[in-house]
């Protein structure tokens, strides 16, 4: 029994000695500015004997080697393992974010910002949000958290307009189309960039169709007519605009306005050369008006 205990103790001592050796080697390599070597030694030491001190050393070294994800993870772990060092971890994460931003590393910047929000939310800096937003690589849910700070930090009106459009797109992707429509309208009112205006107009029209269809589904034809009308107003000759006109016709039928419905369907058909599915749908609905006023079941079947 005593012999077995001695073996275990000797094994633990060997492991601790190995970790200490790796840490000393890492410190020596860091002093020589051999950062890649130091990083490898600190990683080896952490595998054997994790500690807050080693996490701090690895985080600082990883910044020098542009391993920003590792640096962010180490500082996040430092804050979790030693709450007394949260300030130190937050300062390190700010440095990671700043360096990653300068290096154009969107993934590293995202990791650093995410960690910083978790470690010390009040320290989150708008310029890092701005860098993330400009990378254009944010998932929709994360964009919704980042973009308000990015908009506040935007250096000029053009940047604000672009981020309003980006915010609208993130809201649309998460099915918050009514809020997205507000963002698109704001961007459309502000911008003088024809490409951006076309993009936000397309987003607004798509949201308007979705919201109009949702309103019809819950028997709110007046609300549906307003949304479809807004969608059609963007560009009634585009496919999206013509689809909105078909929806407007459906809303007019539900309102009992047969003449208004016929006019909307006819506008959706376009000229005689148009023979796509939207024109066919509108023609079918228009013909149905000529034979009998369709009830809700007929409209639903034709949609």
């Amino acid at each position: 029994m005593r012999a077995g205990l001695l073996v275990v103790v000797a094994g633990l001592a060997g492991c601790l000695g190995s970790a200490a050796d790796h840490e000393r080697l890492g410190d020596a390599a860091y002093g020589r500015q051999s950062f890649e070597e130091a990083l490898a030694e600190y990683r080896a030491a952490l595998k054997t004997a994790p500690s807050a001190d080693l996490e701090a050393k690895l985080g600082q070294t990883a910044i020098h080697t542009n391993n920003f994800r590792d640096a962010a993870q180490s500082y996040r772990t430092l804050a979790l393992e030693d709450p007394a060092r949260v300030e130190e971890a937050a300062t390190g994460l700010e440095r990671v974010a700043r360096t990653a931003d300068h290096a154009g590393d969107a993934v590293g910047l995202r990791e650093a910002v995410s960690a910083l929000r978790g470690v010390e939310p009040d320290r989150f800096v708008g310029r890092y949000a701005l860098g993330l937003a400009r990378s254009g690589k944010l998932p929709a849910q994360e964009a919704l958290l980042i973009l308000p700070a990015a908009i506040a930090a935007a250096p000029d009106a053009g940047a604000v307009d672009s981020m309003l459009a980006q915010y609208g797109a993130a809201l649309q992707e998460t099915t918050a189309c009514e809020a997205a429509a507000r963002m698109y309208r704001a961007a459309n009112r502000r911008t003088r960039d024809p490409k951006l205006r076309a993009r936000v107009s397309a987003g607004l029209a798509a949201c308007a169709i979705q919201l109009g269809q949702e309103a019809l589904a819950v028997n709110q034809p007046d609300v549906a007519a307003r949304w479809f009308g807004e969608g059609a107003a963007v560009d009634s000759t585009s496919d999206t605009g013509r689809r909105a006109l078909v929806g407007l016709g459906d809303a007019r039928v539900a309102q009992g306005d047969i003449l208004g419905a016929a006019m909307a369907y006819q506008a959706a058909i376009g000229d005689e050369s148009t023979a796509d599915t939207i024109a066919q749908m509108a023609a079918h609905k228009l013909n149905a008006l000529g034979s009998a006023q369709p009830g809700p079941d007929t409209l639903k079947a034709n949609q």
Side-chain angles (χ1 to χ4, degrees), residues 66-114:
N66 287 351
N67 285 281
F68 302 119
R69 296 183 70 175
D70 287 353
Q73 183 57 52
S74 287
Y75 283 122
R76 191 200 300 264
T77 304
L78 172 63
L80 290 173
E81 290 188 353
D82 189 349
R85 300 177 72 172
V86 166
E87 181 73 16
E88 177 186 347
T91 299
L93 286 167
E94 268 202 73
R95 187 179 171 204
V96 177
R98 182 170 60 252
T99 311
D101 191 22
H102 289 164
D105 188 327
V107 174
L109 177 58
R110 179 181 164 194
E111 292 288 332
V113 168
S114 175

Side-chain angles (χ1 to χ4, degrees), residues 121-193:
D122 293 340
R123 195 160 177 163
F124 181 58
V125 181
R127 68 174 180 271
Y128 304 141
L130 188 61
L132 275 177
R134 283 175 165 167
S135 76
K137 297 179 180 179
L138 287 175
Q141 290 288 358
E142 191 168 350
L144 295 180
L145 297 173
I146 293 293
L147 282 166
I151 292 169
D156 53 56
V160 171
D161 299 344
S162 178
M163 286 175 204
L164 285 172
Q166 197 173 339
Y167 199 13
L171 288 164
Q172 183 179 358
E173 190 173 335
T174 56
T175 70
C177 247
E178 191 161 358
R182 290 195 292 271
M183 292 299 110
Y184 286 141
R185 288 192 201 106
N188 196 41
R189 284 195 304 269
R190 291 171 47 91
T191 188
R192 296 182 180 180
D193 182 343

